[in-house]
Amino acid sequence: MAQLVRVQNFNVSRDGIGAGEDQTLERPFGHVDPERLFSWAGATASWPMRTEPGGSRGLDDYLTRDYARNIGAEIMGRNKFGPQRGPWQDHEWQGWWGDEPPFRTPVFVLTHHARPSITLSDTTFHFVEGDPASVLEQAKEAADGKDVRVGGGATTIRQFLDADLVDTLHIAVSPVELGSGVRLWESPDELLDRFHLDVVPSPSGVVHHLFWRR
Amino acid sequence: MAQLVRVQNFNVSRDGIGAGEDQTLERPFGHVDPERLFSWAGATASWPMRTEPGGSRGLDDYLTRDYARNIGAEIMGRNKFGPQRGPWQDHEWQGWWGDEPPFRTPVFVLTHHARPSITLSDTTFHFVEGDPASVLEQAKEAADGKDVRVGGGATTIRQFLDADLVDTLHIAVSPVELGSGVRLWESPDELLDRFHLDVVPSPSGVVHHLFWRR
């Protein structure tokens, strides 16, 4: 089985926006209430951040249960790790993801500013600089034959799409308009020259967009 | 995570029929051409019987890739193993599934007629008699904490549903009318007293029915 580069469970609004403006420590999604984007996922049995038993096992759950399947490493933009800009001032602060981050693999955080790797439970964050292809090289090596997830945000996914490094994408379009923020696309049709697309409306109100290479 | 009892990738016609009449060695599905039921699955990248690379990675593939995920044992009716009726005459014949059966776990074949277990590659077939609850007990033990798949045919699935032993079902309804044969249901609505249901039409023409317990 080939080693795939996958975008998995990435959420955008109906107008193509993945996060708000003015990100702060208290508001990782800026002016956007993340609940409005992600509530469909939190309702499923397989949501990786679920703490209580229960949850639905229908269509949405088939999508969330694939989040970690055969994933050996993640690549994320710096803003998914924390709100800081410029050189790291405080190595004590270890990111937004708590003592048990949901990734459970090596994670490569894109940044121009070096800092030592951090291990929290099953997740190790590495801080790396470089173009998408060279960072992907490192992540594939660390994934040891398994797939690599490009975890976002929208800007990072765009970089990897622009470099034509992505094999499959699952983008969940939530039934909300945000108006402004960090944009993934104007329209999913932008990807149709390179990808097949299944558009799958869910009873929860989100519309799953499943892309794979032509 | 609880140990679930799952029906996965079971196909029926629009009129609820899973296999034809007059099963023979040459025609495991009797008068029904199985291609008319299963072609959607064979087109996907994750179809367990796929021998060539390639295949689609859209909605249908999310369903086929779940076939083996976290499955530790299967239970099947005798007619899914072979067309024989009554006492086994020929222990040389080892079932329809070839030298590399796609199950890759212990498989419990329901039969009133004992025969020794058979191991073919990663699959071991055990031939067992008993009511659904007691056979499930054996399968759960063999699954070692993983889920148990009730593999069909339709009669076996009905037995386990009637005993209220099934937690989730994925039934793919193919766009074909068969008229007669082994019936799973008159209508999926029969299960709504006990199960939630997501009905998900696929671009391939099948309609996925995803049930989970209320």
Side-chain angles (χ1 to χ4, degrees), chain A residues 8 58-59 62 65-66 198, chain B residues 8 59 62 65-66 198 212:
Chain A
Q8 207 71 49
L59 173 66
Y62 272 81
R65 79 176 63 143
D66 222 45
D198 277 356
Chain B
Q8 207 72 48
L59 173 66
Y62 272 81
R65 79 177 62 142
D66 222 46
D198 278 357
W212 69 104

Side-chain angles (χ1 to χ4, degrees), chain A residues 138-187:
Chain A
Q138 292 177 66
K140 279 189 161 173
E141 172 101 24
D144 197 21
K146 292 187 172 181
D147 296 343
V148 173
R149 183 174 52 229
V150 177
T155 308
T156 300
I157 295 174
R158 287 277 11 152
Q159 284 171 357
F160 280 78
L161 281 172
D162 292 347
D164 200 23
L165 295 172
V166 179
D167 295 307
T168 68
L169 301 92
H170 160 226
I171 308 291
V173 177
S174 297
V176 45
E177 303 267 340
L178 295 177
S180 66
V182 187
R183 185 175 290 281
L184 179 66
W185 58 39
E186 295 288 337
S187 157

